[in-house]
Amino acid sequence: MRDYVKLTERDNVAVVTHDVAKGTEIIPGIVTLQDIPQAHKFALVDIPKDGEIIRYGVVLGYALDEIKKGAWINEHMLRLPTSPSVDNMKWGTNIRTDLPEAPRKSFMGYKNPDGFYAGTRNILGIQTTVQCVQGVLNVAVEKIKREILPKYPNVDDVVAVNHAYGCGVAINAPNAKFPIRALQNIAKHPNFGGQLMVVSLGCEKLTVDKLVGEENNTPKNVIVLQDCKGYDAMINAITNMAEKKLQALDKRRREELPLSELLIGMQCGGSDAFSGVSANPSAGYAADMLVQGGATVMFSEVTEVRDGVNFIAERCVSEEVRDKLADEMRWYDNYLAAEQVDRSANPAPGNKKGGLSNIVEKAMGSIAKSGTSPIVEVLSPAERPTKHGMIYAATPASDMVCGPCQLASGIGLQVFMTGRGTPYGLAAAPVIKVCSRNEMKEQWPDVIDISAGAVVTGEKTIQEVGTELFNFILDVASGTKKPYTEQYGLHNFLCIFNPAPIT
Ligand code: CA
């Protein structure tokens, strides 16, 4: 087992793979000057005041004071560099064509009549126009699951698409397009099989017409609670409509489909300094295989790519894609600046405890999950893709907000990398958990699906863990395996991204 990881020749710091006591000669000629916690950095050379601190071959920051060889480097010891400019970024200079061969070329999915990507699950999704209906809907859904769903064995679940949007909001504000688009596209999610069902209150700003289109606003699809005579009528209206939709969904069958029918999302959260060493590069390798096999993979989280955006731009296949990437970064820079913050509002305290000193270090690890494929399209938050391959879908980095944005974009499942651990999950699509270190898997053996910890210790390669993950992704997409979050029903509330005013 190795004691430290140095990622590139240029790096002047390395990360310890386990807690190392002060006074340890970790490398011949380098003795640790303090206790160094697992995943944290130490200096490989003397670094002068204002000197560059380099990891991943990039400058993470500048030393606030002189740092001696062997010293622990924590987040208080470096100054954040300025973000790379998004003007005139080079594009197309790093287009890789020799991606690793996908060992499997098909999966078992639910083909959809609208021609969009296939479903990975067969779910009755009940849309809501407004938060006000949630209480009634939740009671009805419990009843449906208890009394009706067991009659339809080909349907996996009934999910209330609850959210906090819909009324008390500036619905005509320019930025209201984000939450509205998210909810419109979630209603079309491939796992819902085109069976539309909406519960509305009746007086909300997000009207049924606005949510699903006038053509879909029919008594076959829509229940308006204010039109129901009393509570029992509301519950009965919902359960009766649900039964009809379940009858239709029960006819859906999985079929063998090419990987071009598969769309998945990548996200990370609760990251540590190993995320960029083990879990994210392994996910990146799996992503490369998926793309090689014809699948579409998206990665997101603007603040967590902002400092490495030039590495994404050089993989963009056209000027148009590069321009949209730049536009998304500018939009987010302005969004943050309006509240007098910048991307340094990320990382979280747990990230720092996990050895991530700042957002540059976090970004370099985060981008690793996108692998090396060419980037064929950039999406605004909650847009649906139109191309196949690797896609950058701009979203906030917040796990709870990125998840719904990617759902709206149509992902059949999400692969979620973590170093510190999070039980986050989505109701409408499975979430696979990949951890960065062995201790995390030991702590949560029955929450984490795949550990990339053996990459840290040098016992497995990125290719080995990446291939294991690729196969697990296809098994989960095909319904032959369920990740732990799905087995337990760990479902987070859908936080819909709403940068527009609440009234
Ligand atoms: Ca995240």
Side-chain angles (χ1 to χ4, degrees):
M1 182 179 146
R2 56 183 171 169
D3 298 312
Y4 67 95
V5 180
K6 180 185 171 186
L7 288 172
T8 74
E9 247 342 280
R10 213 184 144 216
D11 294 2
N12 59 7
V13 301
V15 166
V16 295
T17 61
H18 52 85
D19 292 346
V20 173
K22 178 182 172 180
T24 305
E25 188 167 19
I26 186 158
I27 301 172
I30 302 180
V31 176
T32 52
L33 302 180
Q34 294 88 18
D35 290 343
I36 302 177
Q38 185 191 38
H40 282 244
K41 294 178 286 300
F42 65 97
L44 295 168
V45 294
D46 291 333
I47 301 171
K49 184 175 185 301
D50 298 321
E52 295 176 333
I53 295 167
I54 301 169
R55 189 177 174 222
Y56 294 101
V58 305
V59 177
L60 298 185
Y62 302 95
L64 289 171
D65 228 320
E66 186 188 5
I67 299 171
K68 289 278 182 206
K69 182 166 76 174
W72 175 31
I73 300 175
N74 62 38
E75 76 268 21
H76 305 296
M77 294 165 70
L78 58 166
R79 191 175 71 242
L80 197 62
T82 52
S83 293
S85 166
V86 295
D87 298 329
N88 305 311
M89 290 185 293
K90 284 203 178 88
W91 63 272
T93 55
N94 183 19
I95 301 294
R96 190 176 165 196
T97 51
D98 58 335
L99 296 171
E101 180 84 15
R104 288 155 66 183
K105 304 285 189 191
S106 66
F107 74 111
M108 298 296 289
Y110 295 99
K111 204 167 168 56
N112 273 311
D114 67 357
F116 193 67
Y117 291 89
T120 61
R121 294 292 180 269
N122 188 20
I123 294 172
L124 171 59
I126 306 179
Q127 314 304 315
T128 62
T129 50
V130 67
Q131 167 72 14
C132 313
V133 306
Q134 180 178 339
V136 170
L137 178 57
N138 284 352
V139 172
V141 165
E142 281 307 307
K143 191 172 154 77
I144 296 163
K145 284 190 183 184
R146 210 172 44 238
E147 298 172 11
I148 307 175
L149 182 61
K151 293 194 275 177
Y152 302 98
N154 294 319
V155 184
D156 294 305
D157 204 0
V158 179
V159 170
V161 182
N162 291 314
H163 57 84
Y165 196 70
C167 210
V169 292
I171 198 113
N172 294 317
N175 283 338
K177 70 181 177 208
F178 295 104
I180 294 171
R181 178 166 65 210
L183 292 169
Q184 287 170 337
N185 284 342
I186 287 173
K188 294 184 215 159
H189 193 277
N191 285 354
F192 299 153
Q195 289 301 317
L196 193 60
M197 175 169 171
V198 183
V199 177
S200 145
L201 180 62
C203 56
E204 61 275 33
K205 283 187 168 174
L206 180 63
T207 60
V208 177
D209 285 355
K210 215 176 182 81
L211 180 66
V212 296
E214 212 180 318
E215 68 283 7
N216 292 312
N217 187 357
T218 70
K220 271 188 171 169
N221 300 328
V222 180
I223 292 159
V224 181
L225 295 190
Q226 288 172 349
D227 292 347
C228 297
K229 189 161 174 57
Y231 172 76
D232 284 346
M234 296 179 199
I235 300 291
N236 288 338
I238 296 170
T239 53
N240 290 342
M241 185 182 288
E243 177 129 31
K244 293 195 183 80
K245 302 291 178 184
L246 286 168
Q247 283 164 1
L249 287 169
D250 202 51
K251 298 193 176 78
R252 285 177 102 197
R253 292 290 181 278
R254 288 185 188 275
E255 57 189 293
E256 188 171 358
L257 298 171
L259 292 188
S260 56
E261 290 269 352
L262 182 64
L263 168 61
I264 74 155
M266 296 267 182
Q267 200 200 165
C268 52
S271 300
D272 68 4
F274 290 144
S275 294
V277 174
S278 56
N280 287 357
S282 300
Y285 191 81
D288 282 349
M289 283 178 154
L290 286 162
V291 168
Q292 194 279 335
T296 299
V297 181
M298 62 176 62
F299 70 113
S300 297
E301 301 172 289
V302 173
T303 55
E304 294 179 8
V305 305
R306 179 66 185 83
D307 282 272
V309 67
N310 45 314
F311 295 104
I312 301 177
E314 65 188 25
R315 290 164 54 194
C316 288
V317 297
S318 71
E319 192 168 1
E320 186 192 352
V321 175
R322 187 276 316 262
D323 286 348
K324 187 156 183 200
L325 177 67
D327 287 346
E328 292 301 328
M329 297 295 127
R330 280 190 202 100
W331 186 93
Y332 221 93
D333 284 351
N334 293 334
Y335 170 62
L336 294 175
E339 288 300 316
Q340 294 162 28
V341 295
D342 62 20
R343 83 276 194 221
S344 70
N346 192 337
N351 296 147
K352 291 175 182 170
K353 207 174 166 199
L356 288 173
S357 291
N358 64 20
I359 189 61
V360 181
E361 188 169 20
K362 192 170 174 181
M364 293 314 298
S366 176
I367 291 171
K369 66 178 171 292
S370 70
T372 58
S373 317
I375 292 170
V376 295
E377 189 170 30
V378 170
L379 302 178
S380 295
E383 279 183 340
R384 292 178 120 196
T386 63
K387 301 266 185 352
H388 285 74
M390 178 55 71
I391 286 179
Y392 179 71
T395 74
S398 159
D399 302 349
M400 306 309 146
V401 183
C402 173
C405 282
Q406 288 195 350
L407 265 188
S409 295
I411 57 163
L413 62 83
Q414 194 177 55
V415 184
F416 190 103
M417 278 60 69
T418 186
R420 312 282 304 167
T422 161
Y424 150 92
L426 295 165
V431 177
I432 295 170
K433 289 285 158 59
V434 182
C435 73
S436 65
R437 59 199 172 96
N438 290 332
E439 290 82 354
M440 183 71 247
K441 178 68 178 163
E442 285 157 22
Q443 182 72 6
W444 283 5
D446 48 2
V447 179
I448 301 295
D449 298 293
I450 288 181
S451 173
V455 175
V456 173
T457 58
E459 291 154 311
K460 275 189 191 172
T461 63
I462 285 167
Q463 290 78 2
E464 285 171 319
V465 177
T467 305
E468 183 189 351
L469 177 58
F470 170 91
N471 282 312
F472 191 67
I473 289 169
L474 291 198
D475 291 344
V476 170
S478 301
T480 53
K481 283 191 181 146
K482 284 184 177 182
Y484 287 116
T485 48
E486 186 180 20
Q487 289 176 35
Y488 304 135
L490 306 183
H491 300 155
N492 285 83
F493 181 75
L494 291 180
C495 297
I496 300 296
F497 182 43
N498 177 22
I502 307 283
T503 58

